[in-house]
Amino acid sequence: MFEKLDSGKKTHNVIKQILEAIESGSLRENDKLPNEQTLAQTFGVSRSVIRESMSVLVNMGIVKRRPGQGTFVQNAGDASVPIASTKTVLWSYLEELGKVDGSIEAFFARLLIEPVIAEYAAYKLDNNDIKKLEGLYHEMEEAVRTKDVERYHEADLQFHLYLGKASKNSVLSGILKDIIESIGFEHWDSERIWREESKPLSKSLEGHREILDLMVKGEVERVREKVEEHLKLSFYEHMS
């Protein structure tokens, strides 16, 4: 079911092989994965690589740890995001993440930290912040209308960076900026992720609208949930 890794981005490749096994049916819902030591021997990697890979899969809602029992493929009905398929942009994300050392770790850190920063920013939001975020949203909206993928990508990044600035906390803002820079988006082929006619582009725009509306309404706890959902779903939006 799994192949030993020779070289390359090992965490990226462990994740990809496990997802391929789920997609092919070699691993089914509620199946138990081999233990950490067995997976490390099978892939020919260290146990720390397996732990990192499992942490990413757990946080993406693909597998679930059951204390005292092991790690299992998540039931689709309980998953926080749709189980991956060949019609998702997940594969493109994984390959782009694999281009930059530390990129997967940075994305994982972003998934943990940005929702908390966004929640804090919602407490601190003022009219100037709303105006700035609305302007960035309309920039994305116009980019979708004109099918300008690069313009969308840049406005998208600036929207998320501004969430850090809106927190009015220079440390939080700096942390988010450093994490996003560490992902290495400048090395990505953005058209692989945001294709002109794709549902992910429209769905991403919709997600930004929902985040902004919740912030304006002062629904701070839902802001945190929505940002986390938005970041997760960026991996999984189905292509038409």
Side-chain angles (χ1 to χ4, degrees), residues 15-16 18-25 57 60 62 76 81-95 195 200 233-240:
I15 294 169
K16 186 171 183 179
I18 290 172
L19 289 168
E20 286 174 339
I22 294 171
E23 183 185 22
S24 69
L57 290 168
M60 298 310 296
I62 297 300
V81 293
I83 298 298
S85 74
T86 53
K87 293 185 178 180
T88 68
V89 295
L90 176 61
W91 308 114
S92 296
Y93 261 101
L94 285 174
E95 290 177 9
R195 296 173 182 135
L233 288 176
S234 68
F235 266 65
Y236 291 93
E237 288 307 330
H238 289 266
M239 308 290 285
S240 58

Side-chain angles (χ1 to χ4, degrees), residues 122-123 125 212-223:
Y123 279 111
L125 202 69
L212 183 51
D213 287 346
L214 289 172
M215 295 186 79
V216 171
K217 291 176 184 177
E219 298 185 31
V220 293
E221 291 183 1
R222 291 192 62 201
V223 167

